[in-house]
Amino acid sequence: MPPINAAAALQISILLFALPAQYFISQWYGTDSAERIQITERLIIASWSISTRSYWSLDAWADRLKLWLSKTRTCFYIELLILHFRNWYYGEKKIKSDDEAKPHSYFAESTRVHSPKPEYIKFRVGQVVIHKRFGYSGVIVGWDVKADTAEEQLQPKYPPVKQDLKDTPHYRILINEANGFGKSTAYVPEEEITIIMGLEVVYHPDMETYFSGYDGSKYIMQPWLKKLYPHD
């Protein structure tokens, strides 16, 4: 049902006004009932004719439909532009935010371009992996050629017998919420994870920030992330 515009409201008002108008007509044109009836009929017929032309006319409905479709298309294009702007904005924000606030970013969150990629980096951003010991799955969103974090945080994680792990590739992972692991991200050495072959859906609130889809073997990086890992 199209919205009632000023013209439609005027037509309805005229129809509703017809009966009260009969009283005033009787005052203005005398008391002859036949004359009053004729005037009232002409008033109603005129109102109905206007309503028929503007509200029941096929052309009028076609014009209203064209207007509605144009507005619908406009809303669709606006929403599409907003979506593209959102992806661009959050991507650019992800690149700039942390490095603007502090001189260095840890846990594979550095915004420097990771190029060239050393041959010994086994896995790629976008691949789905599983933790060998804890059993949770997730998707890789970044890597470092060796553990990149403050030394005081490395000491509890790597006791003397595992000190050599600090110098091996490390990966930042978005943990699949479907596992119920209780953590949303992890930063782990390469030897603790392995690739999951086949389709594995990862549920995480930040997936759309990092990826635009899935190609059957790995998740597709958003443009801003691809700039940081051009060889993955």
Side-chain angles (χ1 to χ4, degrees):
M1 186 70 179
I4 297 176
N5 54 28
L10 178 60
Q11 296 158 19
I12 294 171
S13 300
I14 291 173
L15 290 173
L16 294 176
F17 184 70
L19 290 177
Q22 188 173 4
Y23 170 78
F24 292 102
I25 289 169
S26 68
Q27 300 299 314
W28 296 336
Y29 292 92
T31 57
D32 186 277
S33 59
E35 185 179 358
R36 290 199 305 271
I37 291 172
Q38 290 178 359
I39 295 172
T40 303
E41 286 177 350
R42 286 197 295 269
L43 176 62
I44 293 175
I45 290 171
S47 301
W48 179 257
S49 177
I50 294 172
S51 175
T52 301
R53 287 196 304 269
S54 63
Y55 210 71
W56 299 104
S57 168
L58 183 60
D59 292 337
W61 277 96
D63 291 340
R64 289 188 178 91
L65 181 59
K66 290 178 182 177
L67 178 61
W68 178 79
L69 288 175
S70 67
K71 290 181 178 178
T72 302
R73 287 195 296 269
T74 300
C75 292
F76 171 76
Y77 289 130
I78 290 174
E79 290 177 359
L80 190 61
L81 287 172
I82 290 173
L83 178 61
H84 283 297
F85 176 77
R86 177 181 177 275
N87 288 339
W88 170 82
Y89 173 75
Y90 284 109
E92 292 294 320
K93 186 177 180 182
K94 189 68 180 177
I95 292 176
K96 297 177 181 178
S97 59
D98 289 341
D99 280 357
E100 289 176 350
K102 52 188 177 183
H104 189 80
S105 296
Y106 295 120
F107 304 112
E109 287 191 305
S110 173
T111 58
R112 66 176 178 81
V113 177
H114 291 61
S115 180
K117 182 179 181 178
E119 293 184 1
Y120 57 84
I121 302 293
K122 184 178 180 181
F123 303 134
R124 296 181 292 168
V125 173
Q127 288 184 312
V128 179
V129 297
I130 187 169
H131 196 281
K132 296 177 181 178
R133 185 155 52 102
F134 297 125
Y136 62 77
S137 62
V139 59
I140 297 172
V141 294
W143 52 259
D144 292 318
V145 294
K146 63 179 181 178
D148 187 10
T149 184
E151 185 64 29
E152 59 269 18
Q153 293 177 303
L154 284 174
Q155 291 300 331
K157 187 173 183 178
Y158 299 110
V161 294
K162 290 188 175 183
Q163 285 295 301
D164 58 330
L165 286 181
K166 294 190 299 182
D167 296 324
T168 63
H170 277 60
Y171 299 84
R172 180 173 175 82
I173 299 169
L174 298 184
I175 297 176
N176 191 352
E177 289 188 342
N179 300 152
F181 186 65
K183 291 177 63 178
S184 61
T185 61
Y187 187 64
V188 297
E190 189 172 271
E191 76 161 26
E192 293 185 0
I193 58 177
T194 187
I195 295 295
I196 295 179
M197 302 304 294
L199 178 62
E200 173 71 15
V201 179
V202 176
Y203 298 97
H204 193 283
D206 293 335
M207 286 295 290
E208 290 186 0
T209 301
Y210 289 92
F211 306 107
S212 61
Y214 187 79
D215 66 5
S217 62
K218 64 182 180 66
Y219 282 91
I220 303 168
M221 288 183 280
Q222 293 282 11
W224 69 267
L225 188 59
K226 185 63 177 177
K227 289 178 181 179
L228 301 185
Y229 297 92
H231 308 295
D232 281 27

